[in-house]
Amino acid sequence: MTMRGRSIVLVLALLALAGAMFAAMANPASAATREEIESELGFTKLAMEPSDTQAGGHPDLNVVTEWVSGGIFAGGGTLPTLRRLKVHTPTGFIGDPHVTPKCTLTEFSSAACPVDSQIGTVSIPNLGIFGIFFPLYNMETNPDQAGLLGFTTPLIAAPVFLELSSRTDSDYGLDTVSTPQIKLGINSLETNLWGVPADPKHNKHRFLTPLKYLGACFDYQNGCPGETFAKSNIPERPFLQNPTTCGEELIARADVEYYEDYEVGGEAPYPATTGCQQLSFSPSILAKPTTERSDTASGLDLTIKIPQSQSGETPASSELRTSLITLPEGFTINPNAADGKVACPDIAAGIGTLFGAQCPQFSKIATVTLDVSALPGPIPGAIYLAEPKPGEPYRVILAADGFATHVKLLGSVRPDPQTGQLTLAFEDLPQSPLQEFDVHVFGSERGLFASPPKCGHTPVSSEFVPWDSQLLNSHSTGFMDFTGGPNGAGCPGATRPYTPSVRTGVANNTAGQHTPFSIELSRSDGDQNTTALNVNTAPGFAATLRGVPYCPEASIALLHSPSHTGKAELASPACPASSQIGTATTGVGAGNHPLYTPGSVYLAGPYNGAPLSLVVVVPAVSGPYDLGNVVVRSAIFVDPVTAQVRTVSDPIPQILEGVPLRLRTILVNLDRPNFTINPTNCDALSVDSTAFGSEGAQFSQSSHFQVANCANLDFGPKLGLKLRGSTKRRGHPAVKAVLRTGEGEANLGRVEVTMPKNELLDNSHIGTVCTKVQFAEEKCPADSVYGTATAQTPLLDQPLTGPVYLRSSNRQLPDLVADLHGQFDIELSGQIDTPKSGGLRTRFTSIPDAPVSRFTLELDGGKKGLLVNSRSLCKAGKRAAVKMVGQNGSTDSHAVKLQSACGSKASRHKRHLRRLYRARVVR
């Protein structure tokens, strides 16, 4: 083309530009409605054409966009003009704006951009001159820009910039946004991006002197030879990369924003990528705990490497879609790790947005570094605890920022619900050329993880899934070594030891006083886990059950329901407050700083053959996690002879929602006011406990227990004896004995009653006797019942009542046994004999150390009467010898007058009549 021809072309282009700008400045006709204008707007052409469809290849990309803009509207006025053009490449299409030098704004404005910063060409067909193209440069960016391209031409006398960004709100694909610096009437743009900018094939389109481009070239296909073009001096690194998937539909999209607040979009197919079989995929993993000690709080250092080709001649490796890393069995979530932590909400993490994460500092659990080949260097970040969701309770958020790229990825830690073995999962990762991923999970005393309970060379397995389904998943195995025990100890043997510490105590050791009672069991790291704890309290240590209702069985069932969460229990306990008798605190987790969680202790009804039970409820809530409720029920057995209390616990849960609890401490404090009460016996006693380990061990301990100030207790029980029925010789009177004690006195330990010599045991009336076997099986014959007994105690709402049996014994005479029933059962056994001094004696030698305000014993008379009068009651002695010994050692011996019909008003009247009768007979 001659110089004259070029001038004509230039004049035509300027005229076309002037007409477009004139049309843009005209006012729209008032007659055109918004709907009418919108119906005219849209793309007339949208195409995205790669020079090569090789998956992971580095094609030149020709992008053509034509849209309706400016011009005279048929209804009058002008159409809106371009404000911004957005082009969205297909998912998986990658751009790396860091492979070439950058042109500064100063260089750009003076048309002095370095040759090596050219990254493609641009043409504007609607200027009226077809074939002319302009250089497109890789521009220096602001801190908030991932990439920036720019071009300019004297024909429009204004720069146009194309900002590059990643769709970090969705699929992390590549976007370009073209924003002219002035209001233009252009309605088309054709951009040719070079896949490998330094490739020599682009030399014919490489502008050496940008000021000469007006007359430089109108033939894009062949280029324009001469001194205006030159070769590149940088390595041939790829700027563009095709998706690494095959057989999937790929779509390119574009949007046009107009100045007049209109926006239209369109889409076009992107040629399907091919040749996935040529892609490589060989990730590897290195996992190392922050400790080599077993049963210890631990962090984790994790590195994933995926080799990526940096050559413009070979396809890239397939991108990683899913990473599944299974840690060794026994390497589990540490239950104390969440203490003091909070969750980062998805909205704060910027999930679904283009913004960076703004997670709370206390949700941070790890630091990360991402090395992506499309970025000039690694970018730092962190991993945060995410809000739990149904099915994914242990979600995490990976956030990293660098080079104006805000990465936000969701992952999860998935424990096996039975063993706690962990799988670290990141699924549906974006198609991004990740080449190295480094994680450091914090490993303080409350590290996120806890190491296995035993030493060993333990495997770490992984599965990596590529984005292209034609490639096989990659599997890799590594190992973790644990070479020592916790706290500097050596490795445990085949069976870990179990030597817990058990402490018991009362707040007030004054005899007969109410006092809180506590028991604490703790174990060290390295010991077997505790699976159960049984406790025998000291004889005489009792509880005031009066006024304490049971926690209903329906409420206990609710505690086990998944719908009643730990937070729900904290907000509204299932058991009524009136049934609470104490508190519980558990410490869980490996390391020197367990997590201590408060709970409650409730009184409940019969359970597992016991008359009473305890329900210990600990809401498992820590940080952002709610794992429900730990509920342990213990059956309470009361020894019928001594009234000693024995608790037998259900198995203690070892794992909850996939988290092994690693129980370190159990502290139960029965602190309900005026509930537990000391014995009145100051002898040295003991609290006996038995704890069970998870590997079969059993640990028993007797803890010293002794109360004080027993001598200060009063002791003055009152016994009343009454004989009813026949008072004649050979009569068989019924017996009623009533024993009363005062409040705050020492409890009875022994009672011995010797009847006067005129009251004998009638052996002929000893009929059926209950055997010990029958008594134990509660199958005593009805004929073995010789009376009834009732015991009233301030400890219970209702008295204990029951029959009185004659039960076989190892002595000459059977025992007299009161079989009392109520909230629990008590057996009072009296030995019957005849002392040398004469009379019939009954001795109760093992009375439980418990307060009894009134005890009534009634024995039948008549044909079932065991006593027989050897003389008339009205003539014989009427006093019984009574000896009572308190639990504190105090004694009280005295004679008790037998009340009988002889002393009654009716008896006196009968005697008076008899005397009158005898007097008349004599006269």
Side-chain angles (χ1 to χ4, degrees), residues 615-693:
V615 180
V616 179
V617 183
V618 180
V621 178
S622 178
Y625 299 111
D626 184 345
L627 306 184
N629 297 289
V630 177
V631 182
V632 180
R633 194 167 184 179
S634 295
I636 302 177
F637 295 90
V638 180
D639 187 287
V641 175
T642 65
Q644 185 177 16
V645 174
R646 174 171 61 97
T647 63
V648 179
S649 78
D650 280 352
I652 298 171
Q654 298 296 297
I655 189 168
L656 203 63
E657 296 292 329
V659 180
L661 297 180
R662 298 178 186 250
L663 184 64
R664 298 286 299 282
T665 300
I666 306 171
L667 172 60
V668 174
N669 189 21
L670 302 180
D671 57 359
R672 181 187 178 108
N674 298 322
F675 182 67
T676 47
I677 186 170
N678 280 329
T680 59
N681 184 341
C682 284
D683 292 343
L685 305 173
S686 66
V687 177
D688 301 325
S689 57
T690 302
F692 300 87

Side-chain angles (χ1 to χ4, degrees), residues 286-290 299-303 439-441 480:
L286 175 64
K288 183 179 180 181
T290 59
L300 179 66
D301 291 319
L302 181 67
T303 298
V439 181
H440 171 68
V441 181
M480 290 183 181

Side-chain angles (χ1 to χ4, degrees), residues 345 412 489 495 538 544 570 579 779:
S412 63
T495 301
T544 301
L570 289 172
S579 65
K779 295 181 179 179

Side-chain angles (χ1 to χ4, degrees), residues 580-807:
Q580 184 175 353
I581 59 174
T583 60
T585 302
T586 58
V588 296
N592 296 327
H593 298 282
L595 167 65
Y596 294 98
T597 306
S600 302
V601 183
Y602 299 94
L603 182 68
Y607 183 67
N608 283 352
L612 306 167
S613 58
L614 296 179
V615 180
V616 179
V617 183
V618 180
V621 178
S622 178
Y625 299 111
D626 184 345
L627 306 184
N629 297 289
V630 177
V631 182
V632 180
R633 194 167 184 179
S634 295
I636 302 177
F637 295 90
V638 180
D639 187 287
V641 175
T642 65
Q644 185 177 16
V645 174
R646 174 171 61 97
T647 63
V648 179
S649 78
D650 280 352
I652 298 171
Q654 298 296 297
I655 189 168
L656 203 63
E657 296 292 329
V659 180
L661 297 180
R662 298 178 186 250
L663 184 64
R664 298 286 299 282
T665 300
I666 306 171
L667 172 60
V668 174
N669 189 21
L670 302 180
D671 57 359
R672 181 187 178 108
N674 298 322
F675 182 67
T676 47
I677 186 170
N678 280 329
T680 59
N681 184 341
C682 284
D683 292 343
L685 305 173
S686 66
V687 177
D688 301 325
S689 57
T690 302
F692 300 87
S694 56
E695 297 173 32
Q698 181 173 319
F699 177 85
S700 297
Q701 177 174 306
S702 291
S703 301
H704 178 76
F705 183 92
Q706 191 169 18
V707 296
N709 302 321
C710 290
N712 295 336
L713 295 174
D714 293 333
F715 184 67
K718 301 294 186 292
L719 177 64
L721 291 173
K722 187 173 185 179
L723 301 180
R724 294 180 298 178
S726 175
T727 61
K728 296 180 181 180
R729 182 176 178 271
R730 298 189 181 278
H732 293 82
V735 180
K736 182 177 182 180
V738 178
L739 179 67
R740 295 179 176 86
T741 63
E743 183 179 355
E745 291 184 351
N747 299 322
L748 279 167
R750 297 179 60 182
V751 174
E752 179 180 308
V753 179
T754 304
M755 301 297 286
K757 294 179 181 181
N758 56 290
E759 294 301 317
L760 303 177
L761 178 66
D762 190 345
N763 291 324
S764 66
H765 276 208
I766 299 178
T768 304
V769 175
C770 181
T771 68
K772 290 184 177 180
V773 173
Q774 290 172 328
F775 187 89
E777 294 177 351
E778 299 182 355
K779 295 181 179 179
C780 287
D783 289 344
S784 63
V785 177
Y786 290 86
T788 60
T790 300
Q792 294 176 323
T793 168
L795 302 182
L796 304 176
D797 288 306
Q798 300 297 326
L800 302 177
T801 62
V804 176
Y805 298 99
L806 283 184
R807 187 181 67 185

Side-chain angles (χ1 to χ4, degrees), residues 261-318:
D261 195 26
Y262 293 93
E263 183 173 353
V264 296
E267 62 180 37
Y270 186 91
T273 49
T274 58
C276 281
Q277 67 276 8
Q278 299 183 34
L279 303 180
S280 62
F281 185 65
S282 55
S284 61
I285 181 178
L286 175 64
K288 183 179 180 181
T290 59
T291 180
E292 294 182 353
R293 298 274 177 193
S294 62
D295 205 10
T296 303
S298 179
L300 179 66
D301 291 319
L302 181 67
T303 298
I304 298 174
K305 293 186 177 182
I306 308 172
Q308 294 286 344
S309 170
Q310 300 297 317
S311 171
E313 299 179 356
T314 58
S317 300
S318 177

Side-chain angles (χ1 to χ4, degrees), residues 14-28 69-72 77-79 81 183-186:
L14 292 173
L15 289 174
L17 176 62
M21 295 179 65
F22 176 79
M25 291 184 288
N27 293 324
S69 176
I72 303 299
T78 60
L79 291 172
T81 54
K183 193 172 184 180
L184 300 175
I186 62 174

Side-chain angles (χ1 to χ4, degrees), residues 159-339:
V160 177
F161 295 106
L162 285 70
E163 184 173 350
L164 305 181
S165 63
S166 176
R167 295 190 292 271
T168 57
D169 59 337
S170 55
D171 62 357
Y172 285 75
L174 176 66
D175 282 352
T176 66
V177 180
S178 305
T179 307
Q181 300 301 294
I182 62 173
K183 193 172 184 180
L184 300 175
I186 62 174
N187 59 6
S188 62
L189 187 66
E190 182 172 351
T191 305
N192 189 273
L193 301 173
W194 296 341
V196 182
D199 192 324
K201 71 179 181 180
H202 300 305
N203 289 348
K204 60 184 179 180
H205 304 129
R206 208 181 308 278
F207 286 75
L208 177 64
T209 309
L211 287 174
K212 297 182 179 180
Y213 60 62
L214 275 179
C217 186
F218 298 92
D219 185 356
Y220 187 82
Q221 294 298 322
N222 300 314
C224 300
E227 72 280 8
T228 54
F229 302 97
K231 65 179 182 178
S232 174
N233 298 308
I234 60 175
E236 295 184 22
R237 294 182 57 196
F239 168 52
L240 302 178
Q241 176 187 307
N242 268 333
T244 59
T245 56
C246 293
E248 295 186 13
E249 182 182 22
L250 300 176
I251 300 294
R253 295 178 175 83
D255 301 298
V256 175
E257 292 182 9
Y258 296 90
Y259 272 103
E260 289 76 5
D261 195 26
Y262 293 93
E263 183 173 353
V264 296
E267 62 180 37
Y270 186 91
T273 49
T274 58
C276 281
Q277 67 276 8
Q278 299 183 34
L279 303 180
S280 62
F281 185 65
S282 55
S284 61
I285 181 178
L286 175 64
K288 183 179 180 181
T290 59
T291 180
E292 294 182 353
R293 298 274 177 193
S294 62
D295 205 10
T296 303
S298 179
L300 179 66
D301 291 319
L302 181 67
T303 298
I304 298 174
K305 293 186 177 182
I306 308 172
Q308 294 286 344
S309 170
Q310 300 297 317
S311 171
E313 299 179 356
T314 58
S317 300
S318 177
E319 275 95 21
L320 176 65
R321 182 170 190 168
T322 296
S323 168
L324 301 173
I325 299 171
T326 302
L327 299 176
E329 189 168 347
F331 193 85
T332 61
I333 294 175
N334 197 358
N336 63 6
D339 188 29

